[in-house]
DNA sequence: AAAAATATTTAGGGTAGTCTAAATTTTATC
DNA sequence: GATAAAATTTAGACTACCCTAAATATTTTT
């Protein structure tokens, strides 16, 4: 069965929206917001995806991925994240540059290619943004890290990933001298405006806005 | 200007057909044979490509690439061949496996990507089939090697490339123990059936059919 | 529980790229 | 140079994917 570029993007979007939202079902409007297209176009595509048994679709009730759709979504995510690692590690792109190119590369069809790429890269477990890379069986390590805002205690944390993936946000983090693996020592949390006073790698001190604190994923350091 | 996957494939086909045929102009039928589609579909596309100033098209007269089309074709060829080198050198694919995947990868849009890939691979001058890789300015070294059949003298030759790129032909060469760079010593050319008696790398002796002899490109060894 | 607001689907239409069948132009043959 | 054959284009239609406008279903508000 041939699955188009566009269909793959819908499947990936449904996967991503489902994982982010509380409810299981993804609505037509959520999808059209995601793509900045019209709800009517989405309905059109949902019917096609349902015909191909990639989703479970009931009029007016939203959609879930079928087992087949789930498998496909994870495969695309695996490809996307492995290509991002390739671009960063081998071609020396920056972490804010890899996503757009990976959006194209994730649609290359070849199981052999992706498994060889995986080996070539040393079977990495995380992509440049800290997101876990599914293995070839489709298993993903769920991520334990949580947004820094959810922690209210002073102490040492390690930057494990980001929630927000935009170029702007990633460039901002780079600008303030923050990268994955850095040790973030929370020295103070202002009770009025929730500003975090932190020290990075025991070197430079700075302040995290709540925008930053809510979009970086950390684990507390043992 | 957005150029589709399909349009890129037409441009590449016209480039390839023009370089192979004696006449400059490429005919509608040549293109439809190449793609195994209908002449009417080709005409349709030629009109679109002419609208985009990628080709010079006159009804019933065939087409040539415009300067813009030429530049695009060479860029796609560059990408194709660099990805083939990547697949062979870095991911250990065989030379008969790389083409199909490169057919997909050649359509990834990113100048930065292709230039970094080029550097990563050490700026290779030839692809796994001996075809020259255009540089980032679009310059290509024309290939000096000629099909073995064009040589009628005994002596030592070096295998520089292949004319025929099919999986079957490449696998056949591998099977008879022939790869690029090998020294082919022509010991005899049968005057009746034109069979070439050759010794490979001064080791094993075998016979080349005219099918093989006409599809391998060699240079005489100094 | 009716009315209003929102979400979703249906209807009809557009472009890209393909097809078949018919019309037209070019080339080959006598 | 007329006629036949081959090449090419035109006409009309189909699918994928998108749109707008209208219809319908669901949810929220009163
Ligand atoms: Mn990404
Ligand atoms: Mn990522
Ligand atoms: Mn190739
Ligand atoms: Mn090649």
């Amino acid at each position: 069965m041939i699955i188009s570029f566009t269909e793959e993007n819908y499947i990936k979007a449904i996967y991503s929206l489902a994982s982010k939202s509380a409810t299981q079902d993804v609505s037509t409007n959520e999808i059209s917001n995601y793509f900045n297209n019209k709800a009517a176009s989405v309905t059109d595509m949902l019917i096609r995806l349902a015909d191909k048994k990639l989703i479970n679709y009931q009029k007016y009730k939203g959609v879930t991925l079928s087992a087949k759709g789930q498998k496909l979504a994870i495969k695309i995510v695996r490809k996307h994240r492995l290509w991002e690692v390739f671009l960063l590690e081998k071609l020396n792109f920056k972490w804010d540059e890899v996503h757009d190119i990976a959006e194209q590369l994730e649609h290359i069809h070849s199981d052999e290619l992706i498994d060889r790429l995986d080996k070539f890269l040393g079977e990495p477990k995380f992509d440049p943004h800290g997101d876990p890379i599914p293995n070839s069986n489709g298993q993903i390590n769920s991520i334990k890290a949580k947004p820094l805002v959810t922690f209210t205690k002073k102490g040492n944390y390690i930057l494990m990933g980001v929630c927000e993936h935009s170029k702007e946000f990633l460039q901002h983090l780079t600008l303030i001298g923050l990268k994955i693996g850095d040790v973030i020592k929370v020295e103070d949390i202002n009770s009025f405006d929730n500003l975090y006073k932190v020290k990075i790698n025991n070197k430079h001190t700075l302040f995290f806005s709540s925008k930053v604190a809510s979009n970086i994923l950390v684990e507390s350091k043992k």
Side-chain angles (χ1 to χ4, degrees), chain A:
Chain A
M1 177 181 293
I2 291 150
I3 291 154
S4 74
F5 201 99
T6 311
E7 288 167 335
E8 287 194 346
N9 281 333
Y10 270 85
I11 292 300
K12 198 171 60 126
I14 295 165
Y15 176 80
S16 159
L17 291 169
S19 72
K20 268 163 200 143
S21 90
T23 61
Q24 292 295 88
D25 290 352
V26 177
S27 74
T28 303
N29 256 8
E30 282 179 271
I31 298 170
S32 74
N33 287 336
Y34 182 91
F35 284 119
N36 275 308
N37 66 0
K38 302 294 147 148
S41 307
V42 173
T43 301
D44 211 75
M45 178 57 92
L46 294 182
I47 291 164
R48 253 195 301 279
L49 294 174
D51 285 348
K52 292 193 173 182
K53 314 278 184 206
L54 291 165
I55 60 171
N56 308 115
Y57 171 58
Q58 276 181 290
K59 264 191 193 179
Y60 294 104
K61 301 295 178 193
V63 294
T64 57
L65 290 177
S66 69
K68 191 177 160 191
Q70 183 87 11
K71 228 177 123 181
L72 176 58
I74 289 170
K75 192 179 190 172
I76 300 168
V77 166
R78 172 170 156 81
K79 288 196 276 185
H80 182 101
R81 293 180 183 168
L82 283 173
W83 280 117
E84 284 191 344
V85 173
F86 170 73
L87 295 170
L88 191 101
E89 298 276 317
K90 302 296 182 180
L91 301 192
N92 304 118
F93 279 99
K94 305 207 187 76
W95 74 335
D96 59 286
E97 298 172 323
V98 299
H99 178 80
D100 290 347
I101 304 176
E103 284 290 300
Q104 297 182 64
L105 287 163
E106 72 189 5
H107 299 290
I108 303 292
H109 292 295
S110 168
D111 290 348
E112 188 68 23
L113 171 62
I114 202 62
D115 289 342
R116 281 176 189 249
L117 181 64
D118 190 22
K119 281 209 188 62
F120 177 62
L121 298 171
E123 309 195 353
K125 298 291 167 265
F126 297 94
D127 86 356
H129 312 105
D131 293 310
I133 298 175
N135 69 17
S136 55
N137 297 318
Q139 287 150 334
I140 320 179
N141 295 333
S142 60
I143 194 160
K144 292 156 293 179
K146 292 204 163 46
L148 180 60
V149 273
T150 63
F151 294 92
T152 50
K153 276 195 197 137
K154 296 174 192 178
N156 285 304
Y157 299 89
I158 299 174
L159 180 58
M160 302 300 289
V162 292
C163 309
E164 165 71 39
H165 289 68
S166 73
K167 223 178 169 76
E168 293 71 33
F169 181 65
L170 297 175
Q171 283 174 352
H172 176 68
L173 293 189
T174 302
L175 199 70
I176 65 177
L178 207 57
K179 60 183 187 309
I180 293 206
D182 281 355
V183 177
I184 299 171
K185 184 177 177 188
V186 174
E187 295 183 337
D188 190 46
I189 307 172
N190 188 295
S191 55
F192 170 67
D193 59 9
N194 228 41
L195 225 56
Y196 282 67
K197 185 184 180 199
V198 300
K199 196 170 221 175
I200 308 302
N201 295 326
N202 254 312
K203 282 179 192 150
H204 58 293
T205 297
L206 46 86
F207 293 86
F208 284 168
S209 65
S210 62
K211 202 167 168 183
V212 168
S214 58
N215 282 307
I216 60 178
L217 298 167
V218 302
E219 273 177 20
S220 67
K221 194 184 176 193
K222 353 158 236 37

